[in-house]
Amino acid sequence: MLANIYLNEFDQEMKGRGVNVIRYADDIVVVAKSKRAATRLLETCRKYLENKLRLQMNPQKSKVVSVVARKHFKFLGFALGKNGNGLYIRAHGQSLAKAKRKLKELTSRSQGRNVRQVMEKVKAYIRGWIGYFYVADMKRTLQSWSEWVRRRLRMYIWKQWKKPKTKVQNLKKLGIPEWQAHQWGNSRLGYWRVAGSPVLSRSITNEKLVQAGYYDFPAQYEHLRKLHLYG
């Protein structure tokens, strides 16, 4: 709020000069048609902010880049991409990496919580994250994340079963033939390997995960996108 009040004078000055500016709090993007014009406008903004408003421009964030530069342009966690259909909004790579690290932390198999509690925490986080980023084009990314999260949950459940005897019994209860349940229940393969096996996909199915509380976040993303595009 203070930034909006303090920088209102800057907004009016740029508007009077016919300069296209996008601003949120103290994050500012100045739009120009060429690199040369952008360099000139950046210097104009710097002089006005530092000489008129007595504000120091951040040299790390203040630079001339293309809005479709995959690594260098970022605004409020978003970036722009370009394909045959033109420009589109995407979540910046850093935003995606940060979210995936958080999902990995939330599904860590060393927590000791009930898997339903883990799913609830994942739901609370990813629902809020998608609520902010749903305007970005990331359908394939979220589908890939969903498969990855389900595998991590299967790994979590597999570890909670602990003893081979418990694993065998639970696999049998979930419809796995006795010989196969004994084979996998006594397997020495690591948690991640077993979590990706057909046996766990057939026993701890996607449907069973949903019944236990798994949040289908790609579906929620599609729902929000449709509301955004079609009202």
Side-chain angles (χ1 to χ4, degrees):
M1 187 180 294
L2 289 174
N4 289 336
I5 294 171
Y6 207 80
L7 289 170
N8 179 62
E9 190 175 338
F10 170 82
D11 296 339
Q12 300 306 317
E13 178 68 20
M14 294 300 108
K15 183 179 179 180
R17 297 186 186 190
V19 178
N20 293 320
V21 174
I22 304 168
R23 184 178 66 77
Y24 183 85
D26 60 346
D27 287 323
I28 303 170
V29 174
V30 180
V31 182
K33 292 183 178 180
S34 67
K35 184 175 181 179
R36 183 176 180 181
T39 302
R40 176 175 55 81
L41 287 173
L42 180 64
E43 181 61 17
T44 298
C45 291
R46 185 192 67 78
K47 287 182 178 179
Y48 187 84
L49 289 169
E50 294 185 354
N51 297 336
K52 180 71 175 178
L53 300 182
R54 301 289 187 244
L55 296 174
Q56 186 67 38
M57 182 181 280
N58 187 336
Q60 301 297 323
K61 297 175 66 176
S62 306
K63 53 191 174 183
V64 174
V65 297
S66 167
V67 293
V68 294
R70 296 194 66 85
K71 293 183 179 180
H72 302 295
F73 179 77
K74 178 184 178 185
F75 186 64
L76 305 178
F78 293 93
L80 294 178
K82 189 175 183 180
N83 56 26
N85 298 320
L87 293 175
Y88 64 92
I89 301 172
R90 60 186 180 84
H92 193 274
Q94 291 179 10
S95 301
L96 294 173
K98 182 179 179 180
K100 194 167 184 181
R101 284 196 301 271
K102 182 63 177 180
L103 289 172
K104 186 174 183 179
E105 175 189 325
L106 291 173
T107 55
S108 170
R109 66 175 187 263
S110 61
Q111 300 177 67
R113 292 191 180 94
N114 184 285
V115 70
R116 294 176 186 270
Q117 293 177 301
V118 174
M119 290 183 188
E120 190 60 35
K121 287 184 175 293
V122 169
K123 177 181 178 180
Y125 173 75
I126 200 65
R127 183 168 57 184
W129 192 87
I130 290 176
Y132 179 80
F133 281 102
Y134 75 89
V135 296
D137 189 346
M138 53 182 179
K139 180 179 179 179
R140 291 183 179 179
T141 297
L142 292 183
Q143 288 174 340
S144 174
W145 281 11
S146 186
E147 293 176 7
W148 175 73
V149 169
R150 285 197 297 261
R151 183 172 175 177
R152 287 188 63 80
L153 291 172
R154 289 188 179 101
M155 177 177 66
Y156 191 96
I157 293 168
W158 187 249
K159 185 185 179 185
Q160 284 202 321
W161 288 350
K162 295 181 180 179
K163 297 180 180 180
K165 182 180 178 180
T166 306
K167 293 174 181 177
V168 172
Q169 289 175 343
N170 287 333
L171 287 174
K172 287 166 62 178
K173 288 178 183 177
L174 292 170
I176 301 301
E178 185 172 350
W179 69 269
Q180 203 169 23
H182 278 284
Q183 179 186 13
W184 283 94
N186 291 280
S187 172
R188 292 181 177 275
L189 293 176
Y191 295 116
W192 184 247
R193 289 278 300 279
V194 176
S197 69
V199 169
L200 247 60
S201 297
R202 296 203 321 270
S203 55
I204 308 173
T205 63
N206 292 347
E207 291 74 19
K208 284 186 172 64
L209 288 174
V210 170
Q211 290 171 7
Y214 178 72
Y215 180 59
D216 187 357
F217 53 89
Q220 177 64 9
Y221 166 76
E222 288 294 308
H223 174 67
L224 291 174
R225 291 279 288 178
K226 287 178 182 178
L227 289 178
H228 175 70
L229 293 174
Y230 306 114

